[in-house]
Amino acid sequence: MNWRGIWAIYRFEMHRFRRTLWTGLAVPVITTSLYFIVFGSAIGSRMTEIGGVPYGSFIVPGLMLLSVFTESIFNASFGIHMPRFTGTIYEILSAPMSAFETVLGYVGAAASKAMIVALVIFATAHLFVPVSVLHPLLALLFLLLVTLTFCMFGFIIGIWAKGFEQLQVIPLLVVTPLTFLGGSFYSIEMLAEPWRTITLFNPVVYLVNGFRWTFFGTADVAFGTALAATAAFAGACLLGIWWIFRTGYRLKA
Amino acid sequence: MSDPILSIRGLRKAYASGTEALKAVDLDIRRGEIFALLGPNGAGKTTLISIVCGLVTASGGEVLVDGKNWQTHYREVRRRIGLVPQELTTDAFEPVISTVSFSRELFGKPRDPAKIEEILRTLTLWDKRKTIMKELSGGMKRRVMIAKALAHEPDILFLDEPTAGVDVELRKDMWNMVRRLREQGVTIILTTHYIEEAEEMADRVGVIAKGELILVEDKAALMQKLGRKILHLQLVEPLAAVPSALAPWQPQLSEDGATLTYEFDAKADRTGIPSLLAALRDEGITFKDLDTKQSSLEDIFVDLIQQQRQEAAE
């Protein structure tokens, strides 16, 4: 293993995040606060409880994941797209780095930042609502799995995208709608048929409910099912990355 | 040739568009030499380098570094190779010293601030070490790219068009640096379409055109083998026309009639010079001075390309 090479990429990426540290952290804090003001106070005052959980607390896992999805995809896709765009990718390709090591550097850094943002949101949520986590270790591991998966997904998008505009397409047009429609801010039990069944085809449902279960011990979907769905998505992303490096797709002529 | 440091065997590249960029190139690079790969734009120089360095996938053939295959032993091979690409591609917001240190670690070498300082000083970049890349001039960026390529102390260095768009002073600096590296035992392969660069720098020259390596020669041998020479004779009395007795040599007379020029093949056994001089004496034509001039690599190159085109046309 070229640990020094992995560490070099990791540090380079983390350094890039540090340059925009304050905006990088202020954005999730402000966004989360806005969500709590709108959902928590305005709407939450009429909803009170979902499945025995106060509405304000109920939306915390969903809020964390919403940011994790966008942060992961954005950081990882931008991280690999930038060297492709400027041409500095030549150095990565000519270095004694395996595909796994390269991905570990980029995805590792993107995941670190996304995890930090998730934890900042968690801390911010405490200012508004009482939040306790029933299975803290499971919650952390599940969050890590989701983060790594979306970072890999972002890495694929960063390779696939032909320009900066395309980097935004998947997160804005696919991931955000699926997140809002995937029970991040409500229980799918509240939906009428056929919408309830249709919603079950939305993969985000499993991610959000798996994470929510680690908080409250109750969710719309069994934790095992949620974990299996998340692992399947992670596996698909791994396969995609493996294929990219095997074929040199948009990396090598 | 015994023990080449780099062996290229039947290397081919056909792009998806159908363009055949390389047609089964065979090339051995000697340990410690400066090899110039000379050819016009689009000849396949960059493709060749890019395949060796892992930026482009080959359609066939193989590359060996000290007998080790460049794909199965990519770690070992790549650790030994440094690449300075043609395009100035840098991380705009990184300071010089960070980007150079990054390169060293990316190639798996432990941090070594003393080594980085030495490299930066050699390339007169030390004073600029804290400057961020986007604030540097083009020439300075070029130096940083060289520093990055040298940061992991490679023993094979590829320079793709190192002096393209570089001012005269920097070009001289670059040449001196390349010579110093060679003295330290680094093998250097550079591509160029500046013939004077190959002539100035290289121990051997390979001429590439349309994806084919037309020839590989020691520079001196190439000049001797293919070079044409021109004999100038400064006449004492100007001539009105070339006397018919001299017709077999087809000499050219200058407009003022004072200079007679004879072009001959330096590689031929009989250059025709002694007989021409004898004929001049018989005609009673006297000259006050004479000189011969070796044709430049540029002339040789143009000849080669023309030969190729003629062969292709036939």
Side-chain angles (χ1 to χ4, degrees), chain A residues 1-2 4-5 7-9 11-12 15 19 86-99 101 247 251-253, chain B residues 13 15 53-57 74-75 78-79 83 85 89-91 93-94 99 102-103 105-111 145 148:
Chain A
M1 284 286 272
N2 181 358
R4 289 197 188 95
W7 184 231
I9 292 179
R11 273 206 333 260
F12 178 89
H15 182 70
R19 280 200 294 264
T86 59
T88 53
I89 188 91
Y90 85 86
E91 200 174 22
I92 307 286
L93 292 176
S94 66
M97 299 279 292
S98 68
E101 289 159 355
T247 60
L251 276 178
K252 297 186 186 190
Chain B
K13 177 65 189 179
Y15 284 105
C53 294
L55 310 184
V56 169
T57 27
Y74 73 95
R75 282 189 202 271
R78 289 181 184 181
R79 252 182 244 279
L83 166 66
T89 53
T90 54
D91 293 303
F93 301 104
E94 289 290 307
T99 196
F102 170 80
S103 299
E105 288 164 53
L106 188 66
F107 277 73
K109 288 260 181 165
R111 275 194 210 193
M145 296 197 64
K148 280 167 79 68

Side-chain angles (χ1 to χ4, degrees), chain B residues 86-146:
Chain B
Q86 191 175 340
E87 302 287 329
L88 289 173
T89 53
T90 54
D91 293 303
F93 301 104
E94 289 290 307
V96 170
I97 195 159
S98 309
T99 196
V100 175
S101 306
F102 170 80
S103 299
R104 182 178 173 88
E105 288 164 53
L106 188 66
F107 277 73
K109 288 260 181 165
R111 275 194 210 193
D112 187 344
K115 186 75 209 171
I116 300 293
E117 178 173 345
E118 183 194 319
I119 292 168
L120 292 181
R121 282 194 189 280
T122 312
L123 288 157
T124 56
L125 283 167
W126 184 246
D127 293 341
K128 300 264 182 196
R129 65 189 180 278
K130 288 176 183 163
T131 311
I132 62 167
M133 292 300 298
K134 67 169 186 170
E135 285 169 8
L136 292 180
S137 67
M140 280 297 181
K141 279 184 188 148
R142 177 80 60 187
R143 284 172 202 260
V144 175
M145 296 197 64
I146 295 173

Side-chain angles (χ1 to χ4, degrees), chain A residues 27 50 58 94 106 112 137 153 177 247:
Chain A
V27 168
I50 294 180
F58 177 87
S94 66
Y106 281 105
S112 300
L137 188 65
F153 187 45
T247 60

Side-chain angles (χ1 to χ4, degrees), chain B residues 205-219:
Chain B
V205 178
V207 178
I208 189 169
K210 291 183 182 165
E212 275 181 282
L213 204 55
I214 304 170
L215 92 163
V216 177
E217 281 281 2
D218 280 336
K219 183 181 64 186

Side-chain angles (χ1 to χ4, degrees), chain A residues 170-189:
Chain A
I170 303 280
L172 288 181
L173 295 186
V174 180
V175 177
T176 306
L178 285 182
T179 309
F180 275 88
L181 299 174
S184 300
F185 305 113
Y186 53 83
S187 162
I188 59 169
E189 300 297 336

Side-chain angles (χ1 to χ4, degrees), chain A residues 28-50:
Chain A
V29 170
I30 291 171
T31 314
T32 309
S33 304
L34 288 174
Y35 275 111
F36 275 114
I37 291 165
V38 174
F39 285 116
S41 306
I43 301 173
S45 57
R46 298 173 186 216
M47 305 225 347
T48 62
E49 281 193 355
I50 294 180

